[in-house]
Every structure is written in structure tokens, then in C-alpha cells.
Amino acid sequence: MDVSELVAAVGDGGLACEKADKIIENVVGTFSLPFALALNVQINGQDFIAPMVVEEPSVVAAASNAARMVRDGGGFTADADEPIMIAQVQLDEVPDSVRACTRLRQHAGELVSLGNDAVPGLVQRGGGVRGIEARDLGEGMVVLHLFVDCRDAMGANLVNTVAEAVSDRVQALTSGRMGLRILSNLCDRRKVRVTCRVPVHALAADDFAGEEVRDGVVRASRFAERDPYRATTHNKGLMNGLDAVVIATGNDWRAVEAGAHAFAARSGKYSPLCIWREDEGDLIGSLEIPLSLGTVGGPARVHQAARMGLRVVDASSATELAMVAAAVGMASNLAALRALATEGIQRGHMALHARSVAIAAGAAGADVERVAHRIHAQGTISLDGARRALDELLRMQNSIAPLPLE
Ligand code: MEV
């Protein structure tokens, strides 16, 4: 893709106010975030450029850097389930829930057909309802799950349509009182798995041998595996990268977040989504996460930057896009643990944060880097420090006499 085309499309945020007004209600403007590209992402032998939308300094550089280390070990290896989402139909006050579940199972074929009739376009594209599950939740509550293959759509609208289309028949079969008809964001039939092997030499940092870094990352992983307080932050670092790709491609990050954290707590104890171990001297990582992403439909239809995000990543399917997002999440997690296990994150983070502080103090153009560099070197990264540095800089610039005109 032509870079100037990309810059033009995302330069102003990619969403004109008049269009924003058609997407949601009571619009008063738009809200821009930085759109960046992560490099070095290699998955199953194929190279990807990952678009990332995120406001936090270091995330993009750190993910690209960690992806390069992974690349040294052959890149990420990923696989994924079929893009199956779950539609839920809730019934209350079911007089005989065991019998109701049996009847639902006996009528599985009919319910699948009813569901498919409601989404003919999806069926035409090779997707559709694949099966059902009846669950007895106790005290007269029964829930029917319909497994919907959404192909390249995230699937929320399709799944909700299916849930509503079968509900009358489900009510008749169970003699219950109709409850909710909606997708589940715990899309645990739509998981992505990513693994990687990082050669120990690739992990070395300024004052740290690769072995030290590797052992530090493994200890950090074990900490997260034992402690939900740490697991939460561990997963937050992973979602820094993953969400950034989700947002840049116009996908629903709240759905992704809800599913990821519910999955992380599936054993009853909140746990890390990605774990790290030593293997034959190398560092190996493995990640499993439910991910409902789409490459068709959704905001990308009207949001120019989201459309560009999809073009940049150039994934052949929603499943492949999910693999890219998960791999970038894994890279972010590795980068964070590597930094934490060595010099800590603040040095690198503050160096980049200094630029935002310089802008907040009023620096513009090339002065942003000058002020950022100065307050970082002086250890005065604060709004006051940046204001002082900018004043000094401007005084110096103004005191230099202009060259006389010929
Ligand atoms: C900051 O956004 C993310 C980290 O806190 C993640 C972690 O602690 O692993 C650095």
C-alpha cells in the first residue's frame, strides 16, 4: 500500500464529524488517538504489519522490539478454532427443566434450520448455525446455546438475529417464560493459540545477560500464575498490544476485553493468559485467548482509518486477524516482563512520556524533542520542568540575531 494514501486516510482520525453523527447519538465531535504500525510480526512464516491505535507511550516500540526477538527464534506459531459464536436464549419458570433440555436436544435439527433461515447471507458465505447445547441452570432456568459460525464477521448482529428467530419455538418446546436472547461474549469456541520460542541471546539487554532476562521473565510468569493481583497487570500489559490492533481495525474492544478476562478466570482463579517457561535454554511462551474479531461489517464500513487498519494488516480472514492481534498481545507481554525483569519500565517509559509532557507545556514541532530530551536528561519530567525548559529554549532561540538580509 502507498504510505501517502495511508497517511491521508488516517491523518485526521479517519472519521468526519458528519459521519460520526450517523454512527452514534448526541455527537458533539470526534476523539482522535495515535495510529501507529508495529513491525517484525511474523506468524506461521508470514510477515504482517500490525496497525495499532493506543495512547500509551512505549507500547508500539516495545511490541515491535519483542516481535523482533521472537522473529529470531522463527516467529510466532498460531492456530485458531473456527469462528463460532454462541447465541443464548434464556427460559425462566420452566416446569420440568430436565424434560425441557431433552426436548431441545431432540429438536436440534429443527432449531438449527430455523436459525439458518434467519441469516441466509451468512449461510451463503459458508457460515451458519452448527449445533445447539441445552443447559439446565437450576431453579427452573434453562438456557439454549446455538453455535453460529460467523465466518469473517465479528458476529454480534448475526448471533442476536439467530437468538431472536428461534425463541418462539424454544419457548413452545420448553413451556418456559422467555428471557434474554443475546450473544455471549465469552466466545470460548473461538479461541486463538499462539506460541513462540525466543533464543536466549535475543533477550540480552544493556547490562543483563540473556539467561538473566529469560529467568526473570519465567519468574514473573510464575508470580502471575500464583497471584491474581499480578495476573491482572500481566494481562493488562498483554491487552495493551492486543486491544491496540483490535481498535485499529475497527473492532469491538469491550467485547474482546470481557471475553478475555472471563476466560482468564475460568478455573475459578483469575490467571495469566500467557505463560513463559525455559526450554532447552530458550524462552518459550504460550497464549490462549477467545477472540471475536471481524474483517467485514462493523465500523470499518464508515471509518476510514479502521478500513486502512484492515488494509495494512491484510489478513486473509477474521481468524488470521485474530492471530495477528494475539501475537502482538504476546509481544507486548514479553516486552513488559523483559523490562520489569531488568531495569524496570520507568526509564524507557519516562523517556517517551517526556514528549507528551513537552507538548502539554506548549512545545511544538522540533522543540518537542528538544524539550523532552532536556527534561529527561535533567530528571525533571513534569509540566513545570517542561515549561521551564521551553522558556529557556525560546529565550535562546530569540536571542540568536537573525542573519542580515543581503
Ligand atoms: C503498563 O501499561 C503495563 C505493565 O504494567 C504490564 C506489566 O506489568 O506486565 C507494564
Side-chain angles (χ1 to χ4, degrees), residues 56 59 230 233-238 240 333 336-337 340 345:
E56 185 174 327
V59 170
R230 176 56 210 158
T233 323
H234 178 105
N235 288 343
K236 192 277 182 181
L238 190 152
N240 272 346
N333 181 226
L337 299 191
L340 289 165
I345 61 158

Side-chain angles (χ1 to χ4, degrees), residues 294-319:
T295 53
V296 298
R301 273 196 290 243
V302 282
H303 199 297
Q304 229 183 329
R307 237 185 354 260
M308 276 297 155
L310 286 169
R311 275 185 64 188
V312 167
V313 70
D314 198 22
S316 61
S317 63
T319 301

Side-chain angles (χ1 to χ4, degrees), residues 80 192 194 242 289 291-293 315 317-327:
V192 179
V194 185
L242 193 150
I289 188 168
L291 262 187
S292 53
L293 302 186
S317 63
T319 301
E320 196 169 80
L321 175 61
M323 290 181 192
V324 174

